Amino acid sequence: MPRKVKYRKSHRGSRAGTPERGTRVSYGDFGLQSIGRDWVTNNQIEACRIAINRFLKRKGKVWIRVFPHKSVTQRPPETRMGKGKGAVEKWVAVVRPGIMLFEVAGVPESQAREAMRLAANKLGIPTRFVARH
Amino acid sequence: MSTHFKLKAEVREGTGTATVKKLRRQGIVPGVIYGGGQRNYPVQVNAKEITDLLAHASSENVLVDLVVEGAKDKNKLVLIQAVQHNTLSRAITHIDFQAVREDEEIKATVPVHLSGEPVGVKQGGLLDHQVHQLEVRCLPKDLPESLTFDVTELAMGQALHVGEVKFPQGVSPTTGSKVVIALIAETRTTKQGGAA
């Protein structure tokens, strides 16, 4: 989650459209690309990072290409309407189809594929494994 | 040195989103030709032909002998300047051709490959290939398909800079000499091993 933000609470915004940038393997040799559309939470991203690093036994290099910039608020249960917007509950990254989520370098393809499979299991969106073109 | 690919194109009549969408559905890729002291004009190429061409090319910046049906000057030497792809399917949606002259220098992006196993990797380091493509300036006849640099001598913590590598004759980089092409980074595992 961000260290400091200008405004704590944001509107839901739009998840529509296709991304222009952040869709290619730019840093590593292999990547995990989103083919779905959803909010990915900071906990999901962290779970993926841990899954990748545990499998690769801290070999190679890993890049996280998404960041949870957006705050999501939630009202406490059994609360009457009104009294202002709820408290910030989680931070999410808006992920559109085509966005590169993670990249790895310095490991063979078989290991990168397995690491990405384990990371994909932590996400609620369909993804695919891609190699540098 | 560069190989010239051959491609057929036609002058495109219609412009605008609706027209090009219709063309894409028919297996045609819209494009444009500019440069070379001529007026810009829209063209179209066969999607299968351009996909096959790029599949056999080392990069998207290649020289093409273009035959343009319906143009005043039919045969042109062009450089593929930019290729737009669909984000998910990677299908080509648009292509930019830059007309070039044999005696005029061009700027093109060339893929960079590394050869050899560095000394630092044998010691447990990680080869971090930072620049995968490099922009170079040269005459069209000198344009290399790719650049291969030897990294065998690189030890742990050392880096290969643009200023340290030898380019083919007539080819010069447009980037600064201090740009790092590759370096040998210490991995977390080797750091721990050294500390223990």
Side-chain angles (χ1 to χ4, degrees):
Chain A
M1 56 187 267
R3 259 189 219 122
K4 188 182 164 191
V5 284
K6 194 167 183 182
Y7 302 106
R8 278 183 308 127
K9 297 174 185 179
S10 62
H11 289 183
R12 285 194 179 81
S14 167
R15 306 175 202 182
T18 48
E20 297 276 322
R21 300 185 295 174
T23 59
R24 300 186 123 195
V25 180
S26 301
Y27 302 100
D29 300 325
F30 307 102
L32 185 71
Q33 189 181 38
S34 147
I35 48 174
R37 194 185 297 274
D38 203 358
W39 284 346
V40 174
T41 69
N42 54 343
N43 291 341
Q44 286 176 313
I45 297 170
E46 181 61 7
C48 293
R49 187 190 67 80
I50 292 169
I52 295 169
N53 283 336
R54 273 199 187 145
F55 179 75
L56 297 178
K57 297 199 175 91
R58 305 176 78 193
K59 280 178 194 157
K61 200 170 174 184
V62 180
W63 286 266
I64 303 169
R65 297 285 309 276
V66 284
F67 186 84
H69 285 287
K70 189 181 185 67
S71 64
V72 175
T73 62
Q74 205 174 358
R75 301 179 65 79
E78 298 178 16
T79 318
R80 287 176 184 273
M81 288 293 112
K83 309 285 182 216
K85 197 166 165 73
V88 173
E89 203 58 36
K90 56 187 175 183
W91 293 83
V92 296
V94 181
V95 173
R96 297 187 171 93
I99 285 284
M100 198 60 65
L101 301 165
F102 300 95
E103 286 182 30
V104 287
V107 289
E109 184 179 341
S110 57
Q111 283 191 26
R113 198 178 277 277
E114 179 60 13
M116 291 300 160
R117 187 189 69 78
L118 292 169
N121 285 344
K122 309 290 176 194
L123 298 168
I125 46 170
T127 54
R128 70 178 171 200
F129 177 81
V130 284
R132 179 177 281 279
H133 289 285
Chain B
M1 292 300 103
S2 72
T3 40
H4 289 209
F5 292 90
K6 283 187 178 147
L7 188 68
K8 281 180 198 164
E10 284 172 45
V11 173
R12 178 158 52 98
E13 296 298 329
T15 55
T17 312
T19 316
V20 295
K21 271 186 179 174
K22 223 177 267 178
L23 288 176
R24 284 184 196 121
R25 278 198 291 271
Q26 292 164 13
I28 294 166
V29 175
V32 65
I33 295 185
Y34 48 75
Q38 51 150 39
R39 219 163 48 85
N40 307 345
Y41 57 87
V43 291
Q44 61 188 43
V45 292
N46 186 294
K48 194 179 177 308
E49 282 178 23
I50 188 68
T51 311
D52 286 350
L53 187 152
L54 290 176
H56 291 96
S58 57
S59 79
E60 287 186 345
N61 259 200
V62 288
L63 285 167
V64 178
D65 285 320
L66 198 68
V67 181
V68 190
E69 294 292 335
K72 268 186 197 172
D73 188 8
K74 254 183 147 183
N75 298 314
K76 276 182 195 302
L77 177 63
V78 294
L79 176 75
I80 296 181
Q81 186 68 25
V83 185
Q84 290 172 23
H85 295 270
N86 180 294
T87 313
L88 279 179
S89 67
R90 303 294 304 154
I92 300 166
T93 53
H94 189 272
I95 188 156
D96 279 21
F97 297 107
Q98 186 191 2
V100 294
R101 282 173 45 182
E102 289 278 8
D103 57 344
E104 252 179 34
E105 275 196 341
I106 54 167
K107 276 184 192 174
T109 313
V110 181
V112 173
H113 300 300
L114 304 176
S115 69
E117 195 186 355
V119 178
V121 171
K122 286 175 189 164
Q123 293 165 351
L126 177 73
L127 176 65
D128 190 356
H129 190 173
Q130 297 211 332
V131 172
H132 292 269
Q133 286 186 324
L134 203 60
E135 193 186 56
V136 294
R137 188 186 290 118
C138 62
L139 288 173
K141 69 178 174 62
D142 295 331
L143 183 69
E145 279 190 23
S146 66
L147 295 166
T148 307
F149 301 128
D150 185 27
V151 288
T152 322
E153 300 296 311
L154 283 186
M156 189 79 83
Q158 283 187 337
L160 183 73
H161 299 90
V162 170
E164 294 163 6
V165 294
K166 205 180 166 199
F167 286 88
Q169 207 173 4
V171 180
S172 59
T174 58
T175 52
S177 60
K178 287 182 181 170
V179 171
V180 174
I181 297 171
L183 59 91
I184 308 296
E186 221 177 329
T187 59
R188 289 168 293 182
T189 324
T190 49
K191 266 183 202 167
Q192 276 185 346

